[in-house]
Amino acid sequence: KDYRDVPIVIIGSGYGGAVSALRLCEAGKKVVLLEMGLNWEKAGIPFSNLLKPGKSSAWLKTKSIAPFMNIFSLTPFTGTLDRLDFDHIKIWVGRGVGGGSLVNGGMAVTPKESYFKEVFPDLDAEKFYSHYFPLVREELKVNVIDEQFLKDCPYYKFTRVGEEEAHKAGFKTIRVPNVYDFKYMEKEFRNEVPRSALNTEVIYGNNHGKNSLDKTYLRKAMETGNLEILDLHRVQTIQLNDDKSYTLNVQQTDTSGALIADKVFTCKKLILSAGTMGTLQLLLQSNAENGFPIHEKIGKNWGNNGNFMTGRNWVKPLSGGTGAKQSTIPVGGIDNWDDPEHPFFTEIAPLPMGMDVATALYLLINRVDKKGDVFYNKTSQSLTLNWNESNTLKMRENAQYFIRKMNKANGGTRSHLLFDNGFGADICYHPLGGCVLNEATNEYGKLKDHENLYVLDGSLIPGTIGVNPFVTITAIAEYCIENLIRKNEFA
Ligand code: FDA
């Protein structure tokens, strides 16, 4: 098949790409979506769980790359989880049809309205809270755990203990919605259906229960008959042509990463939805290699969404810790955002190691007071991140404050089991920014200095949103694509 004159190409099948694909296909447009990862549903290969990492567990690595306890050797395969290592930060990303939705914890959190307004002063917050956020919660199938099930289920002891301890320390807790179907989870607990969340399935994909994008937006887009998804197709560079169309140099690989074919695509309209790091890589690398025009704001205003991991050991040792059995789907959080001294939100995270490790794990989300920049280093031919300990100083202070307060009220020590000094300052699940809405793009994600190029993914958010980001990424993408279509950008 000739891909020399495609009307619309989308690169990447995460949240931004899936929303764009659905809305364009519904509007009757033919769309080709290029995804470097595997179409797992089509391939029919099951995802592996945390305790037995297999094919899906890592992107072309010889060893597993979970944030901790990587004792497993692997045969390189185009798995769902990748890790990008920089000097002071490690960034985990999802690969495959569905992008980050395949690997993430499914926590579907709408940001606080006051913070959303602070981060996006130019957006119509009222419209977001009355229309776009409710719309995406519906499309993503967001739901909430039944309180009685949470109270009774042995797999949620870690949440009950976490909440009880937080209250004792004077913190406020909140229930966290998720895209995992909690009705399915109740059935798996009763052994009526195959187990998934209760079978340590997370971060390497999920075989049942979880409504990842392949089951929501992308499935709907496929049903229009207007979407073609080419998996295992990695875009290497983009060139701008004289007639303002784009040429894409693409490598098709097999599941061992070996090259099958070098392909050239040309398209009139191009949407970059390769995720924050993927989109920045494409823009900055193309600029370095072929003079691809980029605006001066590309790479600026990048942040880790205040991600900072920490943990405590020997939580309530006398009452048996957080439990040997743990669901992989988090449902509890501690909301300390309104504390002027130490504003943060933290997930009460599971640690499903198959035994009671008497350890509580927390992923803090903080403000990002000092943003970073992303560059392309021509010598090493890779992205460079201007980011170090100074960027996470306040996050560390918040984590210290949190752990001290929790330990004072409940006993326990800072977790040296999980992290060298008890803090995982360099762990990032939520890279955001670098191609910020209304700075590097116009108000709807159209890139400045370009007529036919759009960015629709996490890079539009200026480095911070105060909660887990995919609900916001999806809502911003809905807002942008709706307006781009309305303005006849894809006519
Ligand atoms: P996303 O990263 O989803 O998709 C980009 C896609 O583009 C990928 O499939 C990639 O393979 C593809 N791609 C990249 N470069 C390409 C190229 N050159 N050619 C072709 N394809 C290319 N968030 C949240 O709200 N709640 C949560 O519970 C969690 N939990 C969580 C856990 C873990 C382990 C991770 C890694 C992340 C989370 N997140 C999360 C974060 C969330 O998953 C993330 O913010 C979104 O997936 C980002 O959506 P995007 O649309 O920006 O890109």
Side-chain angles (χ1 to χ4, degrees), residues 11-12 14-16 34-36 92 94-96 99-100 104-107 203 233-235 273-275 429-430 457-458 468-470 473:
I11 304 175
Y15 293 91
L34 302 175
E35 167 56 56
M36 65 191 273
W92 277 261
R95 304 252 177 256
N104 66 34
M107 294 173 76
I203 78 169
H233 279 64
R234 179 180 197 144
V235 182
S273 298
Y429 284 175
H430 304 164
D457 62 19
N468 314 61
F470 74 62
I473 296 171

PDB file of all heavy atoms in Angstrom, residues 11-12 14-16 34-36 92 94-96 99-100 104-107 203 233-235 273-275 429-430 457-458 468-470 473, ligand 1:
ATOM      1  N   ILE A  11       0.690  10.441  15.097  1.00  0.00           N
ATOM      2  CA  ILE A  11       1.793   9.628  15.634  1.00  0.00           C
ATOM      3  C   ILE A  11       1.536   9.387  17.121  1.00  0.00           C
ATOM      4  O   ILE A  11       1.510  10.336  17.911  1.00  0.00           O
ATOM      5  CB  ILE A  11       3.153  10.331  15.449  1.00  0.00           C
ATOM      6  CG1 ILE A  11       3.383  10.663  13.977  1.00  0.00           C
ATOM      7  CG2 ILE A  11       4.285   9.441  15.986  1.00  0.00           C
ATOM      8  CD1 ILE A  11       4.667  11.464  13.719  1.00  0.00           C
ATOM      9  N   GLY A  12       1.320   8.125  17.496  1.00  0.00           N
ATOM     10  CA  GLY A  12       1.127   7.750  18.899  1.00  0.00           C
ATOM     11  C   GLY A  12      -0.331   7.496  19.237  1.00  0.00           C
ATOM     12  O   GLY A  12      -1.224   8.229  18.826  1.00  0.00           O
ATOM     13  N   GLY A  14      -1.662   7.039  22.496  1.00  0.00           N
ATOM     14  CA  GLY A  14      -2.052   7.273  23.892  1.00  0.00           C
ATOM     15  C   GLY A  14      -3.319   8.123  23.943  1.00  0.00           C
ATOM     16  O   GLY A  14      -4.114   8.130  22.998  1.00  0.00           O
ATOM     17  N   TYR A  15      -3.474   8.867  25.031  1.00  0.00           N
ATOM     18  CA  TYR A  15      -4.724   9.623  25.244  1.00  0.00           C
ATOM     19  C   TYR A  15      -4.960  10.666  24.150  1.00  0.00           C
ATOM     20  O   TYR A  15      -6.050  10.725  23.555  1.00  0.00           O
ATOM     21  CB  TYR A  15      -4.708  10.269  26.637  1.00  0.00           C
ATOM     22  CG  TYR A  15      -4.756   9.193  27.698  1.00  0.00           C
ATOM     23  CD1 TYR A  15      -3.588   8.643  28.228  1.00  0.00           C
ATOM     24  CD2 TYR A  15      -5.974   8.670  28.125  1.00  0.00           C
ATOM     25  CE1 TYR A  15      -3.627   7.616  29.157  1.00  0.00           C
ATOM     26  CE2 TYR A  15      -6.024   7.646  29.059  1.00  0.00           C
ATOM     27  CZ  TYR A  15      -4.838   7.124  29.572  1.00  0.00           C
ATOM     28  OH  TYR A  15      -4.882   6.096  30.479  1.00  0.00           O
ATOM     29  N   GLY A  16      -3.932  11.491  23.868  1.00  0.00           N
ATOM     30  CA  GLY A  16      -4.102  12.537  22.861  1.00  0.00           C
ATOM     31  C   GLY A  16      -4.396  11.950  21.487  1.00  0.00           C
ATOM     32  O   GLY A  16      -5.282  12.427  20.766  1.00  0.00           O
ATOM     33  N   LEU A  34       0.159   5.909  13.441  1.00  0.00           N
ATOM     34  CA  LEU A  34       1.413   5.144  13.530  1.00  0.00           C
ATOM     35  C   LEU A  34       1.797   4.963  14.993  1.00  0.00           C
ATOM     36  O   LEU A  34       1.895   5.948  15.741  1.00  0.00           O
ATOM     37  CB  LEU A  34       2.528   5.892  12.796  1.00  0.00           C
ATOM     38  CG  LEU A  34       2.271   6.176  11.313  1.00  0.00           C
ATOM     39  CD1 LEU A  34       3.396   7.032  10.731  1.00  0.00           C
ATOM     40  CD2 LEU A  34       2.149   4.876  10.536  1.00  0.00           C
ATOM     41  N   GLU A  35       2.018   3.743  15.398  1.00  0.00           N
ATOM     42  CA  GLU A  35       2.367   3.438  16.797  1.00  0.00           C
ATOM     43  C   GLU A  35       3.594   2.530  16.809  1.00  0.00           C
ATOM     44  O   GLU A  35       3.589   1.484  16.164  1.00  0.00           O
ATOM     45  CB  GLU A  35       1.171   2.763  17.492  1.00  0.00           C
ATOM     46  CG  GLU A  35       1.463   2.119  18.835  1.00  0.00           C
ATOM     47  CD  GLU A  35       2.071   3.074  19.875  1.00  0.00           C
ATOM     48  OE1 GLU A  35       1.455   4.111  20.159  1.00  0.00           O
ATOM     49  OE2 GLU A  35       3.176   2.763  20.376  1.00  0.00           O
ATOM     50  N   MET A  36       4.627   2.935  17.548  1.00  0.00           N
ATOM     51  CA  MET A  36       5.855   2.128  17.566  1.00  0.00           C
ATOM     52  C   MET A  36       5.683   0.810  18.337  1.00  0.00           C
ATOM     53  O   MET A  36       6.385  -0.159  18.081  1.00  0.00           O
ATOM     54  CB  MET A  36       7.021   2.930  18.142  1.00  0.00           C
ATOM     55  CG  MET A  36       6.886   3.318  19.587  1.00  0.00           C
ATOM     56  SD  MET A  36       8.146   4.532  20.073  1.00  0.00           S
ATOM     57  CE  MET A  36       9.500   3.438  20.516  1.00  0.00           C
ATOM     58  N   TRP A  92       9.297   6.681  33.158  1.00  0.00           N
ATOM     59  CA  TRP A  92       8.635   5.472  32.657  1.00  0.00           C
ATOM     60  C   TRP A  92       7.525   5.875  31.687  1.00  0.00           C
ATOM     61  O   TRP A  92       6.778   6.832  31.965  1.00  0.00           O
ATOM     62  CB  TRP A  92       8.017   4.669  33.803  1.00  0.00           C
ATOM     63  CG  TRP A  92       8.988   3.780  34.504  1.00  0.00           C
ATOM     64  CD1 TRP A  92       9.159   2.445  34.298  1.00  0.00           C
ATOM     65  CD2 TRP A  92       9.922   4.147  35.534  1.00  0.00           C
ATOM     66  NE1 TRP A  92      10.160   1.959  35.137  1.00  0.00           N
ATOM     67  CE2 TRP A  92      10.639   2.986  35.896  1.00  0.00           C
ATOM     68  CE3 TRP A  92      10.233   5.349  36.173  1.00  0.00           C
ATOM     69  CZ2 TRP A  92      11.619   2.978  36.871  1.00  0.00           C
ATOM     70  CZ3 TRP A  92      11.224   5.349  37.145  1.00  0.00           C
ATOM     71  CH2 TRP A  92      11.896   4.175  37.481  1.00  0.00           C
ATOM     72  N   GLY A  94       4.530   4.225  28.566  1.00  0.00           N
ATOM     73  CA  GLY A  94       3.872   3.044  27.996  1.00  0.00           C
ATOM     74  C   GLY A  94       4.130   2.958  26.505  1.00  0.00           C
ATOM     75  O   GLY A  94       4.268   3.978  25.835  1.00  0.00           O
ATOM     76  N   ARG A  95       4.214   1.736  25.976  1.00  0.00           N
ATOM     77  CA  ARG A  95       4.385   1.492  24.537  1.00  0.00           C
ATOM     78  C   ARG A  95       3.347   0.463  24.101  1.00  0.00           C
ATOM     79  O   ARG A  95       3.119  -0.524  24.802  1.00  0.00           O
ATOM     80  CB  ARG A  95       5.767   0.917  24.231  1.00  0.00           C
ATOM     81  CG  ARG A  95       6.906   1.766  24.714  1.00  0.00           C
ATOM     82  CD  ARG A  95       7.612   2.423  23.541  1.00  0.00           C
ATOM     83  NE  ARG A  95       8.673   3.294  23.989  1.00  0.00           N
ATOM     84  CZ  ARG A  95       8.576   4.618  24.013  1.00  0.00           C
ATOM     85  NH1 ARG A  95       7.458   5.220  23.640  1.00  0.00           N
ATOM     86  NH2 ARG A  95       9.588   5.354  24.406  1.00  0.00           N
ATOM     87  N   GLY A  96       2.784   0.682  22.925  1.00  0.00           N
ATOM     88  CA  GLY A  96       1.787  -0.256  22.427  1.00  0.00           C
ATOM     89  C   GLY A  96       0.524   0.497  22.052  1.00  0.00           C
ATOM     90  O   GLY A  96       0.388   1.683  22.377  1.00  0.00           O
ATOM     91  N   GLY A  99      -0.932   3.238  24.325  1.00  0.00           N
ATOM     92  CA  GLY A  99       0.080   4.061  25.004  1.00  0.00           C
ATOM     93  C   GLY A  99       0.116   3.820  26.508  1.00  0.00           C
ATOM     94  O   GLY A  99       0.059   2.681  26.979  1.00  0.00           O
ATOM     95  N   GLY A 100       0.175   4.905  27.266  1.00  0.00           N
ATOM     96  CA  GLY A 100       0.281   4.819  28.722  1.00  0.00           C
ATOM     97  C   GLY A 100      -0.915   4.142  29.375  1.00  0.00           C
ATOM     98  O   GLY A 100      -0.795   3.642  30.498  1.00  0.00           O
ATOM     99  N   ASN A 104      -0.569   2.091  33.018  1.00  0.00           N
ATOM    100  CA  ASN A 104      -0.766   2.939  34.201  1.00  0.00           C
ATOM    101  C   ASN A 104      -1.714   2.321  35.226  1.00  0.00           C
ATOM    102  O   ASN A 104      -2.334   1.290  34.983  1.00  0.00           O
ATOM    103  CB  ASN A 104      -1.168   4.370  33.804  1.00  0.00           C
ATOM    104  CG  ASN A 104      -2.518   4.452  33.138  1.00  0.00           C
ATOM    105  OD1 ASN A 104      -3.422   3.705  33.452  1.00  0.00           O
ATOM    106  ND2 ASN A 104      -2.650   5.387  32.206  1.00  0.00           N
ATOM    107  N   GLY A 105      -1.789   2.995  36.387  1.00  0.00           N
ATOM    108  CA  GLY A 105      -2.616   2.493  37.489  1.00  0.00           C
ATOM    109  C   GLY A 105      -4.092   2.796  37.325  1.00  0.00           C
ATOM    110  O   GLY A 105      -4.895   2.446  38.190  1.00  0.00           O
ATOM    111  N   GLY A 106      -4.443   3.481  36.248  1.00  0.00           N
ATOM    112  CA  GLY A 106      -5.855   3.744  35.948  1.00  0.00           C
ATOM    113  C   GLY A 106      -6.498   4.817  36.814  1.00  0.00           C
ATOM    114  O   GLY A 106      -7.706   5.045  36.730  1.00  0.00           O
ATOM    115  N   MET A 107      -5.702   5.474  37.678  1.00  0.00           N
ATOM    116  CA  MET A 107      -6.274   6.500  38.560  1.00  0.00           C
ATOM    117  C   MET A 107      -6.774   7.665  37.725  1.00  0.00           C
ATOM    118  O   MET A 107      -5.998   8.291  36.995  1.00  0.00           O
ATOM    119  CB  MET A 107      -5.227   6.993  39.566  1.00  0.00           C
ATOM    120  CG  MET A 107      -4.799   5.911  40.545  1.00  0.00           C
ATOM    121  SD  MET A 107      -3.427   6.461  41.573  1.00  0.00           S
ATOM    122  CE  MET A 107      -4.273   7.539  42.707  1.00  0.00           C
ATOM    123  N   ILE A 203       1.268  -2.318  35.435  1.00  0.00           N
ATOM    124  CA  ILE A 203       2.446  -1.769  34.756  1.00  0.00           C
ATOM    125  C   ILE A 203       3.053  -2.630  33.628  1.00  0.00           C
ATOM    126  O   ILE A 203       3.873  -2.148  32.873  1.00  0.00           O
ATOM    127  CB  ILE A 203       3.568  -1.208  35.686  1.00  0.00           C
ATOM    128  CG1 ILE A 203       4.441  -2.276  36.306  1.00  0.00           C
ATOM    129  CG2 ILE A 203       3.081  -0.203  36.687  1.00  0.00           C
ATOM    130  CD1 ILE A 203       5.683  -1.664  36.981  1.00  0.00           C
ATOM    131  N   HIS A 233       5.411   0.559  14.042  1.00  0.00           N
ATOM    132  CA  HIS A 233       5.886   1.569  13.095  1.00  0.00           C
ATOM    133  C   HIS A 233       6.408   2.758  13.896  1.00  0.00           C
ATOM    134  O   HIS A 233       5.621   3.469  14.522  1.00  0.00           O
ATOM    135  CB  HIS A 233       4.760   2.051  12.183  1.00  0.00           C
ATOM    136  CG  HIS A 233       4.493   1.133  11.027  1.00  0.00           C
ATOM    137  ND1 HIS A 233       4.040  -0.160  11.181  1.00  0.00           N
ATOM    138  CD2 HIS A 233       4.620   1.330   9.684  1.00  0.00           C
ATOM    139  CE1 HIS A 233       3.912  -0.714   9.986  1.00  0.00           C
ATOM    140  NE2 HIS A 233       4.246   0.157   9.063  1.00  0.00           N
ATOM    141  N   ARG A 234       7.707   2.928  13.887  1.00  0.00           N
ATOM    142  CA  ARG A 234       8.305   4.014  14.666  1.00  0.00           C
ATOM    143  C   ARG A 234       8.741   5.152  13.737  1.00  0.00           C
ATOM    144  O   ARG A 234       9.519   4.937  12.808  1.00  0.00           O
ATOM    145  CB  ARG A 234       9.538   3.483  15.412  1.00  0.00           C
ATOM    146  CG  ARG A 234      10.204   4.557  16.216  1.00  0.00           C
ATOM    147  CD  ARG A 234      11.425   4.050  16.955  1.00  0.00           C
ATOM    148  NE  ARG A 234      11.777   5.004  18.000  1.00  0.00           N
ATOM    149  CZ  ARG A 234      12.260   4.680  19.180  1.00  0.00           C
ATOM    150  NH1 ARG A 234      12.455   3.423  19.476  1.00  0.00           N
ATOM    151  NH2 ARG A 234      12.552   5.601  20.062  1.00  0.00           N
ATOM    152  N   VAL A 235       8.226   6.336  14.000  1.00  0.00           N
ATOM    153  CA  VAL A 235       8.628   7.495  13.207  1.00  0.00           C
ATOM    154  C   VAL A 235       9.990   7.948  13.714  1.00  0.00           C
ATOM    155  O   VAL A 235      10.180   8.169  14.908  1.00  0.00           O
ATOM    156  CB  VAL A 235       7.597   8.638  13.325  1.00  0.00           C
ATOM    157  CG1 VAL A 235       8.015   9.819  12.459  1.00  0.00           C
ATOM    158  CG2 VAL A 235       6.208   8.148  12.932  1.00  0.00           C
ATOM    159  N   SER A 273       1.173  12.974  18.774  1.00  0.00           N
ATOM    160  CA  SER A 273       0.615  12.510  20.053  1.00  0.00           C
ATOM    161  C   SER A 273       1.510  11.406  20.597  1.00  0.00           C
ATOM    162  O   SER A 273       1.042  10.384  21.090  1.00  0.00           O
ATOM    163  CB  SER A 273      -0.806  11.978  19.852  1.00  0.00           C
ATOM    164  OG  SER A 273      -1.657  12.985  19.377  1.00  0.00           O
ATOM    165  N   ALA A 274       2.809  11.615  20.481  1.00  0.00           N
ATOM    166  CA  ALA A 274       3.784  10.576  20.851  1.00  0.00           C
ATOM    167  C   ALA A 274       4.100  10.605  22.345  1.00  0.00           C
ATOM    168  O   ALA A 274       5.047   9.969  22.798  1.00  0.00           O
ATOM    169  CB  ALA A 274       5.040  10.742  20.006  1.00  0.00           C
ATOM    170  N   GLY A 275       3.295  11.345  23.115  1.00  0.00           N
ATOM    171  CA  GLY A 275       3.574  11.497  24.540  1.00  0.00           C
ATOM    172  C   GLY A 275       4.620  12.596  24.717  1.00  0.00           C
ATOM    173  O   GLY A 275       5.354  12.922  23.775  1.00  0.00           O
ATOM    174  N   TYR A 429       6.598   9.195  36.571  1.00  0.00           N
ATOM    175  CA  TYR A 429       5.574   8.544  35.741  1.00  0.00           C
ATOM    176  C   TYR A 429       4.807   9.570  34.910  1.00  0.00           C
ATOM    177  O   TYR A 429       4.055   9.200  34.027  1.00  0.00           O
ATOM    178  CB  TYR A 429       4.540   7.847  36.631  1.00  0.00           C
ATOM    179  CG  TYR A 429       4.953   6.540  37.257  1.00  0.00           C
ATOM    180  CD1 TYR A 429       4.106   5.908  38.170  1.00  0.00           C
ATOM    181  CD2 TYR A 429       6.152   5.914  36.929  1.00  0.00           C
ATOM    182  CE1 TYR A 429       4.445   4.702  38.751  1.00  0.00           C
ATOM    183  CE2 TYR A 429       6.497   4.711  37.524  1.00  0.00           C
ATOM    184  CZ  TYR A 429       5.639   4.113  38.436  1.00  0.00           C
ATOM    185  OH  TYR A 429       5.974   2.910  39.008  1.00  0.00           O
ATOM    186  N   HIS A 430       4.938  10.851  35.246  1.00  0.00           N
ATOM    187  CA  HIS A 430       4.064  11.871  34.655  1.00  0.00           C
ATOM    188  C   HIS A 430       4.855  12.999  33.986  1.00  0.00           C
ATOM    189  O   HIS A 430       4.729  14.158  34.374  1.00  0.00           O
ATOM    190  CB  HIS A 430       3.182  12.513  35.733  1.00  0.00           C
ATOM    191  CG  HIS A 430       2.339  11.579  36.529  1.00  0.00           C
ATOM    192  ND1 HIS A 430       1.751  11.942  37.732  1.00  0.00           N
ATOM    193  CD2 HIS A 430       1.944  10.306  36.299  1.00  0.00           C
ATOM    194  CE1 HIS A 430       1.051  10.921  38.215  1.00  0.00           C
ATOM    195  NE2 HIS A 430       1.161   9.912  37.367  1.00  0.00           N
ATOM    196  N   ASP A 457      -1.106  16.037  23.233  1.00  0.00           N
ATOM    197  CA  ASP A 457      -0.734  15.031  24.245  1.00  0.00           C
ATOM    198  C   ASP A 457      -0.275  15.754  25.508  1.00  0.00           C
ATOM    199  O   ASP A 457      -0.481  16.971  25.651  1.00  0.00           O
ATOM    200  CB  ASP A 457       0.331  14.050  23.707  1.00  0.00           C
ATOM    201  CG  ASP A 457       1.640  14.730  23.322  1.00  0.00           C
ATOM    202  OD1 ASP A 457       1.888  15.865  23.775  1.00  0.00           O
ATOM    203  OD2 ASP A 457       2.416  14.126  22.563  1.00  0.00           O
ATOM    204  N   GLY A 458       0.374  15.030  26.409  1.00  0.00           N
ATOM    205  CA  GLY A 458       0.775  15.588  27.700  1.00  0.00           C
ATOM    206  C   GLY A 458       1.733  16.768  27.607  1.00  0.00           C
ATOM    207  O   GLY A 458       1.867  17.535  28.563  1.00  0.00           O
ATOM    208  N   ASN A 468      -2.869  12.992  39.158  1.00  0.00           N
ATOM    209  CA  ASN A 468      -2.504  12.105  38.049  1.00  0.00           C
ATOM    210  C   ASN A 468      -3.095  12.686  36.757  1.00  0.00           C
ATOM    211  O   ASN A 468      -4.235  13.128  36.749  1.00  0.00           O
ATOM    212  CB  ASN A 468      -3.052  10.706  38.299  1.00  0.00           C
ATOM    213  CG  ASN A 468      -2.796  10.253  39.713  1.00  0.00           C
ATOM    214  OD1 ASN A 468      -3.270  10.876  40.651  1.00  0.00           O
ATOM    215  ND2 ASN A 468      -2.045   9.204  39.881  1.00  0.00           N
ATOM    216  N   PRO A 469      -2.323  12.670  35.664  1.00  0.00           N
ATOM    217  CA  PRO A 469      -2.677  13.604  34.572  1.00  0.00           C
ATOM    218  C   PRO A 469      -3.597  13.128  33.441  1.00  0.00           C
ATOM    219  O   PRO A 469      -4.017  13.938  32.637  1.00  0.00           O
ATOM    220  CB  PRO A 469      -1.307  13.922  33.980  1.00  0.00           C
ATOM    221  CG  PRO A 469      -0.503  12.703  34.214  1.00  0.00           C
ATOM    222  CD  PRO A 469      -0.999  12.100  35.493  1.00  0.00           C
ATOM    223  N   PHE A 470      -3.942  11.797  33.325  1.00  0.00           N
ATOM    224  CA  PHE A 470      -4.563  11.442  32.042  1.00  0.00           C
ATOM    225  C   PHE A 470      -5.960  11.997  31.818  1.00  0.00           C
ATOM    226  O   PHE A 470      -6.360  12.222  30.663  1.00  0.00           O
ATOM    227  CB  PHE A 470      -4.447   9.948  31.716  1.00  0.00           C
ATOM    228  CG  PHE A 470      -5.321   8.989  32.481  1.00  0.00           C
ATOM    229  CD1 PHE A 470      -6.695   9.041  32.413  1.00  0.00           C
ATOM    230  CD2 PHE A 470      -4.734   7.969  33.219  1.00  0.00           C
ATOM    231  CE1 PHE A 470      -7.488   8.120  33.084  1.00  0.00           C
ATOM    232  CE2 PHE A 470      -5.513   7.044  33.901  1.00  0.00           C
ATOM    233  CZ  PHE A 470      -6.895   7.130  33.833  1.00  0.00           C
ATOM    234  N   ILE A 473      -5.192  15.358  30.324  1.00  0.00           N
ATOM    235  CA  ILE A 473      -4.664  15.227  28.952  1.00  0.00           C
ATOM    236  C   ILE A 473      -5.823  14.936  27.987  1.00  0.00           C
ATOM    237  O   ILE A 473      -5.937  15.535  26.914  1.00  0.00           O
ATOM    238  CB  ILE A 473      -3.597  14.107  28.871  1.00  0.00           C
ATOM    239  CG1 ILE A 473      -2.384  14.457  29.738  1.00  0.00           C
ATOM    240  CG2 ILE A 473      -3.178  13.861  27.429  1.00  0.00           C
ATOM    241  CD1 ILE A 473      -1.370  13.326  29.900  1.00  0.00           C
TER     242      ILE A 473
HETATM  243  P1  FDA B   1       1.192   8.306  25.874  1.00  0.00           P
HETATM  244  O1  FDA B   1       2.540   8.191  26.463  1.00  0.00           O
HETATM  245  O2  FDA B   1       0.050   7.657  26.570  1.00  0.00           O
HETATM  246  O3  FDA B   1       1.202   7.719  24.395  1.00  0.00           O
HETATM  247  C1  FDA B   1       2.215   8.012  23.454  1.00  0.00           C
HETATM  248  C2  FDA B   1       2.315   6.865  22.456  1.00  0.00           C
HETATM  249  O4  FDA B   1       3.152   7.268  21.366  1.00  0.00           O
HETATM  250  C3  FDA B   1       2.946   5.599  23.026  1.00  0.00           C
HETATM  251  O5  FDA B   1       2.128   4.491  22.749  1.00  0.00           O
HETATM  252  C4  FDA B   1       4.297   5.497  22.295  1.00  0.00           C
HETATM  253  O6  FDA B   1       4.723   4.163  22.073  1.00  0.00           O
HETATM  254  C5  FDA B   1       4.000   6.206  20.992  1.00  0.00           C
HETATM  255  N1  FDA B   1       5.196   6.791  20.349  1.00  0.00           N
HETATM  256  C6  FDA B   1       6.152   7.547  20.933  1.00  0.00           C
HETATM  257  N2  FDA B   1       7.085   7.923  20.041  1.00  0.00           N
HETATM  258  C7  FDA B   1       6.713   7.383  18.858  1.00  0.00           C
HETATM  259  C8  FDA B   1       7.284   7.404  17.544  1.00  0.00           C
HETATM  260  N3  FDA B   1       8.433   8.069  17.286  1.00  0.00           N
HETATM  261  N4  FDA B   1       6.658   6.715  16.547  1.00  0.00           N
HETATM  262  C9  FDA B   1       5.495   6.035  16.792  1.00  0.00           C
HETATM  263  N5  FDA B   1       4.917   5.979  18.022  1.00  0.00           N
HETATM  264  C10 FDA B   1       5.513   6.659  19.029  1.00  0.00           C
HETATM  265  N6  FDA B   1      -1.701   8.769  34.877  1.00  0.00           N
HETATM  266  C11 FDA B   1      -2.904   8.871  35.508  1.00  0.00           C
HETATM  267  O7  FDA B   1      -3.661   9.818  35.254  1.00  0.00           O
HETATM  268  N7  FDA B   1      -3.269   7.910  36.420  1.00  0.00           N
HETATM  269  C12 FDA B   1      -2.456   6.856  36.748  1.00  0.00           C
HETATM  270  O8  FDA B   1      -2.833   5.998  37.569  1.00  0.00           O
HETATM  271  C13 FDA B   1      -1.191   6.774  36.114  1.00  0.00           C
HETATM  272  N8  FDA B   1      -0.300   5.778  36.440  1.00  0.00           N
HETATM  273  C14 FDA B   1       0.860   5.616  35.712  1.00  0.00           C
HETATM  274  C15 FDA B   1       1.685   4.519  35.945  1.00  0.00           C
HETATM  275  C16 FDA B   1       2.804   4.315  35.140  1.00  0.00           C
HETATM  276  C17 FDA B   1       3.706   3.145  35.412  1.00  0.00           C
HETATM  277  C18 FDA B   1       3.099   5.221  34.078  1.00  0.00           C
HETATM  278  C19 FDA B   1       4.283   5.010  33.179  1.00  0.00           C
HETATM  279  C20 FDA B   1       2.283   6.310  33.843  1.00  0.00           C
HETATM  280  C21 FDA B   1       1.166   6.518  34.655  1.00  0.00           C
HETATM  281  N9  FDA B   1       0.312   7.599  34.430  1.00  0.00           N
HETATM  282  C22 FDA B   1      -0.860   7.723  35.130  1.00  0.00           C
HETATM  283  C23 FDA B   1       0.639   8.613  33.400  1.00  0.00           C
HETATM  284  C24 FDA B   1      -0.188   8.484  32.113  1.00  0.00           C
HETATM  285  O9  FDA B   1      -0.213   7.153  31.668  1.00  0.00           O
HETATM  286  C25 FDA B   1       0.427   9.397  31.033  1.00  0.00           C
HETATM  287  O10 FDA B   1       0.410  10.724  31.534  1.00  0.00           O
HETATM  288  C26 FDA B   1      -0.328   9.340  29.720  1.00  0.00           C
HETATM  289  O11 FDA B   1      -0.319   8.044  29.179  1.00  0.00           O
HETATM  290  C27 FDA B   1       0.256  10.304  28.699  1.00  0.00           C
HETATM  291  O12 FDA B   1      -0.623  10.374  27.608  1.00  0.00           O
HETATM  292  P2  FDA B   1      -0.138  10.913  26.198  1.00  0.00           P
HETATM  293  O13 FDA B   1      -1.316  10.964  25.299  1.00  0.00           O
HETATM  294  O14 FDA B   1       0.621  12.170  26.423  1.00  0.00           O
HETATM  295  O15 FDA B   1       0.931   9.855  25.641  1.00  0.00           O
END
